[in-house]
Amino acid sequence: MLSGIYQMIRDMALLAKSPLSRAKKMDVLGAYWKLWITRPSDKALILGFTVHTHSFANVWYLFREIFVHNEYFFRATSQTPLIIDAGANIGMATLYFSWLYPQATIHAFEADPQTVITLRKNIESNTLHNVHVHHAAVAAADGTMTFYTDPRAAGSLVTSTVEGRVAYDAVQVPAVDLAKFVRELGTNVSLLKMDIEGGEVTAIGALTRDNVLTNLDQAILEYHHQINQQPAALAPFLTQWETAGFGYRLHTNAMPLAQQGKFQDILFYFYKS
């Protein structure tokens, strides 16, 4: 009970401090209480979007993280930004970007064979003609790759190309060379949003390899530090961005701090400095 009250107080505080306009804050606040009261388990109406989901817990977590906490907020230089959503899951971030910038062109990548079905439903249900869904993992080469998923948990937020991330079934999924894809767009990407559960080192490495990291204007990326007790590799990852002329901010939770070798999510915002 007390934890739920604390969560709501924190949510309201974060929404109040967010960079959204007053009108959009009020819209989110109304959607928050409606979602909490109705607690839909399969389909919800959120800010004018029809959202198909796999559970209330799934949609509630994503709505709070994305629309209330505004983890993926960014300022575009035009009303028609080009956005890549890598690790789109059911499409909540894609809907958020469409809500911020209705004229945006968005490429949404999702590797999980079950989750991408729901992602497609959410794009088609809302007739988002400028959103292009790709059933693929972003990687360093075109082809196929092994993807670890949990068939008992549709819409899971921790399916991954990293073995052992979930109690899994191993399936083969299409893979897209992210560097090649970015280069062939023929214009700069306004925002790369990436949450691919450990695959970010390989995907960003491909952008560096092909000298197209600078084709990104901004990036909001979740880095999975020491995922599955892997050796620390944050320094060379950040060096790529620094060498390409990016500055960055970061956010993480690390309590208690003194835990050696412990997995940690770190959210980065990269921008050209």
Side-chain angles (χ1 to χ4, degrees):
M1 179 68 175
L2 289 176
S3 63
I5 293 172
Y6 170 77
Q7 181 189 87
M8 289 182 176
I9 292 171
R10 180 174 179 270
D11 287 346
M12 295 303 99
L14 288 171
L15 179 59
K17 292 191 298 184
S18 78
L20 296 176
S21 68
R22 179 178 176 82
K24 282 191 178 294
K25 288 178 184 178
M26 295 305 295
D27 289 342
V28 172
L29 183 61
Y32 182 96
W33 291 115
K34 181 180 178 180
L35 193 59
W36 174 252
I37 291 167
T38 58
R39 305 175 74 85
S41 61
D42 57 353
K43 186 169 71 172
L45 184 63
I46 300 175
L47 297 167
F49 294 114
T50 299
V51 181
H52 299 272
T53 184
H54 299 282
S55 67
F56 171 69
N58 177 254
V59 73
W60 179 243
Y61 177 86
L62 290 170
F63 173 75
R64 290 177 55 249
E65 180 180 74
I66 295 169
F67 284 90
V68 179
H69 302 174
N70 286 278
E71 288 193 353
Y72 297 133
F73 180 87
F74 78 106
R75 299 189 188 280
T77 56
S78 78
Q79 293 302 306
T80 58
L82 174 60
I83 300 168
I84 295 176
D85 184 355
N89 197 260
I90 65 169
M92 286 293 278
T94 298
L95 296 178
Y96 176 76
F97 296 137
S98 296
W99 181 65
L100 287 179
Y101 300 104
Q103 298 178 63
T105 296
I106 305 172
H107 292 276
F109 289 85
E110 176 53 47
D112 189 285
Q114 294 184 92
T115 305
V116 76
I117 295 171
T118 307
L119 171 61
R120 290 190 190 279
K121 286 173 67 176
N122 284 331
I123 302 311
E124 293 167 1
S125 295
N126 294 290
T127 59
L128 298 176
H129 300 301
N130 290 340
V131 176
H132 309 280
V133 175
H134 306 266
H135 176 211
V138 293
D142 290 332
T144 60
M145 64 190 311
T146 303
F147 189 78
Y148 301 96
T149 185
D150 187 345
R152 302 162 299 177
S156 169
L157 301 176
V158 294
T159 54
S160 176
T161 56
V162 177
E163 186 175 7
R165 180 72 171 127
V166 290
Y168 62 83
D169 278 358
V171 297
Q172 294 297 305
V173 300
V176 168
D177 184 334
L178 181 60
K180 178 182 175 184
F181 184 86
V182 168
R183 185 173 58 250
E184 291 181 351
L185 287 172
T187 186
N188 271 26
V189 175
S190 305
L191 179 76
L192 169 65
K193 170 262 174 182
M194 180 176 286
D195 185 1
I196 54 174
E197 299 301 317
E200 62 275 1
V201 172
T202 299
I204 298 302
L207 296 180
T208 300
R209 177 200 67 201
D210 288 6
N211 298 312
V212 292
L213 191 59
T214 53
N215 288 29
L216 309 180
D217 292 337
Q218 302 173 73
I220 300 176
L221 178 152
E222 190 161 302
Y223 180 85
H224 298 81
H225 180 54
Q226 295 187 302
I227 188 170
N228 288 4
Q229 298 182 324
Q230 292 179 358
L234 181 57
F237 182 77
L238 288 178
T239 296
Q240 297 175 87
W241 294 93
E242 292 171 352
T243 302
F246 285 86
Y248 52 87
R249 291 173 57 83
L250 60 92
H251 171 76
T252 189
N253 294 315
M255 296 299 290
L257 182 61
Q259 299 181 88
Q260 298 183 12
K262 187 79 170 178
F263 167 69
Q264 188 176 356
D265 286 321
I266 307 174
L267 188 66
F268 280 99
Y269 166 55
F270 294 99
Y271 57 93
K272 286 180 175 172
S273 57

